[in-house]
Amino acid sequence: MSSDDSYSSFLDQANQGTGADNVSAKGDTAATKAVNTDVPVGLQSVEQYYTSEADEPFEPVSLKWDGKIMPSESEFAELIGHNSTVSTLDAAEFDPRSQYKDVLQAVEKAGDGKSKVYRVEQGKTRIEYYVVGLDKENMRIVGLRANAVES
């Protein structure tokens, strides 16, 4: 019993803060906005990871947008509150091996049947991929976002 208590105490100590300032392991990244309105239920249930050096899960995106068409790269950067490089990819470039067809289908179903991929640079090796569609009825951009590390 005492070895269990010792081990538990060791784990508790190991998980305590060091007292040092919180330092982000992400380096020179900037936080981006992903949700400022209701998220469609179909996007909340997607459980898939984007495969990169980090293998991060896809997270829901729902942003107010009153445009009749998808935003340009600069408009999208402004929408998510980011001032770095934003580019677009078509579905074949984003998913050449059809690994993310469930992600693309969920986004298309939540929006107007089409999807667009925005690639947002977060420094030299960190990328955010936004797979989004336009929900004209509710005046919003909806979809999924994943963080990636590409060195």
Side-chain angles (χ1 to χ4, degrees), residues 72-74 76-77 80 82 84-88 118-121:
S72 68
E73 293 165 353
S74 61
F76 190 77
I80 62 172
H82 192 65
S84 190
T85 304
V86 175
S87 56
T88 56
Y118 293 90
R119 183 181 186 272
V120 180
E121 293 184 16

Side-chain angles (χ1 to χ4, degrees), residues 28-82:
D28 59 338
T29 63
T32 58
K33 185 173 22 174
V35 176
N36 66 8
T37 187
D38 295 334
V39 175
V41 175
L43 296 176
Q44 294 175 15
S45 62
V46 174
E47 293 185 19
Q48 188 160 356
Y49 285 76
Y50 183 80
T51 305
S52 75
E53 294 173 37
D55 293 344
E56 295 280 340
F58 281 92
E59 300 170 338
V61 173
S62 186
L63 298 164
K64 294 176 186 172
W65 177 251
D66 58 5
K68 303 274 188 239
I69 60 173
M70 293 293 287
S72 68
E73 293 165 353
S74 61
E75 289 171 327
F76 190 77
E78 186 177 323
L79 185 64
I80 62 172
H82 192 65

Side-chain angles (χ1 to χ4, degrees), residues 101-149:
K101 64 182 175 184
D102 292 343
V103 168
L104 292 163
Q105 288 173 348
V107 169
E108 290 166 3
K109 186 175 179 182
D112 66 355
K114 300 174 188 170
S115 61
K116 189 170 186 175
V117 180
Y118 293 90
R119 183 181 186 272
V120 180
E121 293 184 16
Q122 292 281 4
K124 293 180 181 171
T125 60
R126 294 198 176 268
I127 308 294
E128 284 184 334
Y129 288 102
Y130 285 80
V131 182
V132 294
L134 183 60
D135 178 359
K136 292 178 187 175
E137 183 178 326
N138 294 303
M139 297 177 63
R140 61 188 177 176
I141 301 290
V142 295
L144 296 163
R145 167 183 78 170
N147 294 311
V149 175

